[in-house]
């Protein structure tokens, strides 16, 4: 076997290895990076009490910042009381409106309730690689199965991402799932893993139960981005190696 043949085989092996690494890295990156959704923490609450819900909003654009967030509140099973915690660099507004139908809550008939909360950045907003927490206190928690809380994330370039899709019939997660607060229904097995149910009357401490899953989500996103970079780098190296293998690429040198 000549040294030239050995060199070609080594290059071929190297290209195959790099291609395999690229495919693996990109495969890992895709599901992990997709986990960076708008989430509500905690994901469970008990009916009848008040609880603090915190919306975690990551910025998913490399070219624009997040400058607004609107969360739709339920109108069929409304919260009669909603207040927000001030967030530095943001203004907040709770919007009330007439309900589609009157709701009986205890001995009272409710015809109007909070229907949305909107946060607007007073500065640059949430930049690339950053996230922001938006807490609200709501109650009483309705005695129902679950409550969808669709979120609308506005960017500085004018685009809006609507996090308002429901889980598939088979439990699969859509591309832009709506944050969901589970009350009497059991959450999916992988939804907010590690969160403890919130007891009635819980306050701001309720948000601490989900910190572990949030950290795992951030870690997963970091690995996803790292995998993507590794995959892209491997593809570039493979392309360079292929160029060097082109017939005649070294003919000029060999003939000198």
């Amino acid at each position: 076997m000549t040294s030239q043949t050995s060199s070609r085989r080594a290059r071929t092996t190297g290209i195959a290895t790099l291609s395999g690494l690229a495919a693996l890295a990109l495969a890992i990156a895709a599901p992990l990076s997709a986990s960076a959704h708008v989430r509500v923490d905690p994901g469970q609450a008990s009916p009848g009490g008040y609880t603090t819900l915190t919306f975690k909003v990551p910025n998913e654009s490399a070219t624009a910042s997040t400058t607004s967030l609107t969360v739709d509140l339920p109108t069929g099973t409304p919260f009669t009381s909603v207040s927000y915690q001030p967030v530095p660099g943001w203004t907040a507004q709770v919007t009330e409106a007439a309900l589609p139908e009157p709701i009986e809550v205890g001995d009272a008939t409710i015809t109007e309730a909070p229907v949305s909360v909107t946060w607007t950045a007073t500065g640059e907003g949430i930049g690339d690689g950053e996230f922001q927490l938006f807490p609200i206190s709501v109650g009483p928690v309705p005695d129902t199965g679950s409550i969808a809380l669709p979120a609308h994330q506005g960017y500085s370039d004018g685009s809006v991402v609507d996090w308002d899709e429901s889980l598939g019939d088979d439990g699969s997660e859509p591309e832009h799932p709506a944050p969901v607060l589970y009350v009497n229904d059991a959450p999916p097995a992988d939804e907010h893993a590690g969160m403890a149910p919130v007891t009635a009357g819980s306050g701001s401490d309720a948000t601490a139960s989900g910190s572990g899953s949030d950290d795992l989500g951030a870690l997963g996103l970091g690995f996803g981005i790292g995998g993507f970079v590794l995959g892209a780098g491997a593809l570039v190296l493979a392309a360079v190696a292929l160029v060097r293998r082109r017939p005649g690429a070294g003919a000029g040198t060999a003939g000198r």
Side-chain angles (χ1 to χ4, degrees), residues 135-220:
I136 59 174
S137 175
V138 300
V141 175
D143 190 1
T144 187
S146 62
I147 302 170
L149 299 165
H152 312 280
Q153 184 176 8
Y155 284 88
S156 57
D157 61 3
S159 62
V160 177
V161 177
D162 297 316
W163 301 93
D164 57 359
E165 297 176 344
S166 303
L167 294 178
D169 294 336
D170 58 353
S172 60
E173 187 175 78
E175 183 179 0
H176 297 100
V180 177
L181 177 65
Y182 292 89
V183 185
N184 294 322
D185 291 348
D190 60 346
E191 179 75 9
H192 305 291
M195 288 187 179
V198 181
T199 58
S202 61
S204 59
D205 291 342
T207 60
S209 61
S211 59
S213 61
D214 286 339
D215 292 341
L216 289 176
L219 181 60

Side-chain angles (χ1 to χ4, degrees), residues 118-147:
T118 298
W119 291 268
T120 305
T122 58
E124 297 181 356
I126 310 170
D128 183 26
E130 300 176 346
F131 71 89
Q132 182 62 58
L133 303 178
F134 299 94
I136 59 174
S137 175
V138 300
V141 175
D143 190 1
T144 187
S146 62
I147 302 170

Side-chain angles (χ1 to χ4, degrees), residues 7-253:
S7 178
R8 287 178 179 176
R9 288 187 176 181
R11 284 199 297 269
T12 301
T13 302
I15 292 170
T17 302
L18 288 172
S19 299
L21 287 174
L24 177 61
L26 292 174
I28 293 174
L32 288 178
S33 60
S35 66
H37 300 329
V38 172
R39 303 283 189 181
V40 64
D41 179 15
Q44 293 178 263
S46 298
Y50 285 73
T51 189
T52 296
L53 303 177
T54 300
F55 293 89
K56 182 176 182 178
V57 182
N59 187 76
E60 296 190 320
S61 172
T63 58
S65 58
T66 296
T67 55
S68 70
L69 175 72
T70 296
V71 174
D72 297 334
L73 302 175
T75 55
T77 53
F79 300 114
T80 58
S81 175
V82 175
S83 58
Y84 59 85
Q85 178 176 314
V87 177
W90 296 78
T91 62
Q93 179 179 359
V94 178
T95 300
E96 295 191 2
L99 299 174
E101 297 180 1
I103 303 295
E104 301 295 330
V105 179
D107 297 330
T109 299
I110 306 300
T111 59
E112 186 175 284
V115 296
S116 67
V117 184
T118 298
W119 291 268
T120 305
T122 58
E124 297 181 356
I126 310 170
D128 183 26
E130 300 176 346
F131 71 89
Q132 182 62 58
L133 303 178
F134 299 94
I136 59 174
S137 175
V138 300
V141 175
D143 190 1
T144 187
S146 62
I147 302 170
L149 299 165
H152 312 280
Q153 184 176 8
Y155 284 88
S156 57
D157 61 3
S159 62
V160 177
V161 177
D162 297 316
W163 301 93
D164 57 359
E165 297 176 344
S166 303
L167 294 178
D169 294 336
D170 58 353
S172 60
E173 187 175 78
E175 183 179 0
H176 297 100
V180 177
L181 177 65
Y182 292 89
V183 185
N184 294 322
D185 291 348
D190 60 346
E191 179 75 9
H192 305 291
M195 288 187 179
V198 181
T199 58
S202 61
S204 59
D205 291 342
T207 60
S209 61
S211 59
S213 61
D214 286 339
D215 292 341
L216 289 176
L219 181 60
L221 177 59
F223 278 121
I225 295 173
F228 180 81
V229 172
L230 175 61
L235 288 174
V236 170
L237 291 175
V240 172
L242 284 172
V243 170
R244 290 180 175 176
R245 286 187 63 207
R246 287 185 305 176
T253 302

